[in-house]
Amino acid sequence: MLWSDPENEPPEELREMQEMLRRLGVLMALAMVLTMIVIGLR
């Protein structure tokens, strides 16, 4: 969150989207690590 944001919570859709993006980011990072391991093992 930015410091300029109002105190109240963001709308529900925005919160869901942020959660999904966070999960996507974690999944992407895990996929990258797995790919690096597989490439390293070959």
Side-chain angles (χ1 to χ4, degrees):
M1 284 295 187
L2 296 174
W3 60 89
S4 59
D5 282 348
E7 284 297 319
N8 60 352
E9 286 286 303
E12 192 62 40
E13 312 101 44
L14 196 80
R15 237 179 301 164
E16 283 176 16
M17 205 168 70
Q18 283 175 338
E19 199 63 36
M20 209 168 65
L21 284 173
R22 204 171 295 133
R23 278 197 212 108
L24 260 178
V26 171
L27 279 176
M28 287 293 285
L30 282 174
M32 289 287 284
V33 170
L34 276 174
T35 305
M36 292 292 190
I37 291 171
V38 168
I39 289 173
L41 290 176
R42 287 189 177 176

